[in-house]
Amino acid sequence: MNPTVRLVTVDADYAGQRIDNFLMRELKGVPKSRIYNLLRRGEVRLNKSRVKPDQKLAFGDVVRVPPVRVAVREGVVVPGGLDSSLRSAILYEDDGLIIINKPSGLAVHGGSGISLGLIEALRQMYPDQRSLELVHRLDRDTSGCVMVAKKRSVLKQLHELLKARKGVDKRYLALVAGKWPVRKQQVNAPLQKNVLNSGERMVRVELDGKKSLTEFTLIKRVAGASLIEAKPITGRTHQIRVHCQYAGYPILGDDKYGDDGANAHFKQLGLKRLFLHAHSLSFTLDGRRVDVKAPLPSELEKILDSAGSEL
């Protein structure tokens, strides 16, 4: 036997996981297409038999992981500045979970020309944590609370809580154009993903889309805009951004769903990013209550000050 072939026994933490996802963890850095090629060619074996990518693993299964040389890409080392800023951005940590205050402009994962995202950076920063996985996602331009599981069991529990809709209370702060009405407390509008010819992903309100619900609370008004709190009940792509646009009060700094005129005005006041921030998370995990808040970034606080009181 080739000495670099590994036989990995599936422990209870990974029971129920698809083998393609299991291999992506075992063969970090190997392209997804290469992993599917290994499965097709029968180089990966489950209990000595060929296996399909969607096969779910059971406790005690033995997976033959073939030797694969991983090309080390240059320029994918975590810069020292990012390393220190991410360490200082940790809001909560225990044996199974990290909650981090993600900065705007950092993607949660690599891909589409991005070599280093939050999860890749954390995996390099914590090489002993072999099971780090994103629990959920934030848009690249959105800042705030992101959960990263250290254990497969914690990942599964949190996914169940997120599916339950009311299991995880997520709240966002957004500055929107115009005077958000006090009585506007929810937007219930189905959302459909669309891909444009350019490859850019857009989301639109469409009758045959997926049910989507966001609850809103007006916090205060400033000149030309309103600071609101958004609580997504469902978790669709770009949900808060599209629901604000649909309501007629697009989020400022949004170059995809925003208002050009309002964006230009607030750009003059110094707004250089999407004014959307995931500011709190609350849930119960293993009998423990977790309540985490990420303060509004200073550059967004300055915009509120610059805008001044409502006229």
Side-chain angles (χ1 to χ4, degrees), residues 56 62-63 66 88 98 100 103 120 135-136 152 207 212 221 223 230 245 264:
K56 291 190 176 179
V62 177
V63 179
S88 64
I98 297 172
I100 194 161
E120 290 84 10
V135 176
H136 61 118
R152 171 75 180 167
L207 289 176
S212 306
R221 293 199 181 108
Q245 177 200 45

Side-chain angles (χ1 to χ4, degrees), residues 35-59:
I35 287 173
Y36 285 117
N37 193 32
L38 292 170
L39 286 160
R40 276 195 303 272
R41 287 176 9 208
E43 292 189 48
V44 176
R45 298 277 171 151
L46 179 61
N47 302 324
K48 299 184 179 180
S49 300
R50 293 177 77 105
V51 60
K52 293 183 176 179
D54 60 355
Q55 175 67 47
K56 291 190 176 179
L57 299 172
F59 174 66

Side-chain angles (χ1 to χ4, degrees), residues 49-117:
S49 300
R50 293 177 77 105
V51 60
K52 293 183 176 179
D54 60 355
Q55 175 67 47
K56 291 190 176 179
L57 299 172
F59 174 66
D61 279 348
V62 177
V63 179
R64 178 192 187 272
V65 180
V68 179
R69 183 171 295 169
V70 181
V72 178
R73 291 183 295 172
E74 295 183 6
V76 191
V77 176
V78 181
L82 178 60
D83 184 304
S84 60
S85 67
L86 288 180
R87 289 181 193 278
S88 64
I90 292 173
L91 301 167
Y92 173 89
E93 185 172 8
D94 61 25
D95 290 342
L97 177 66
I98 297 172
I99 302 178
I100 194 161
N101 185 5
K102 184 189 82 67
S104 175
L106 178 66
V108 290
H109 59 80
S112 301
I114 300 168
S115 59
L116 185 72

Side-chain angles (χ1 to χ4, degrees), residues 1 5 7 11 40 44 50 57 60 75 85 91-92 137 145 147 176 182 215 225 254 269 273 284 287 293 300 310:
M1 178 186 289
V5 168
L7 297 177
D11 62 28
R40 276 195 303 272
V44 176
R50 293 177 77 105
L57 299 172
S85 67
L91 301 167
Y92 173 89
R137 300 180 181 189
C145 300
M147 293 185 283
V176 300
V182 175
E215 295 177 353
D254 194 336
L269 296 180
R273 52 159 289 195
T284 300
K293 283 187 168 59
L300 298 186
E310 179 188 12

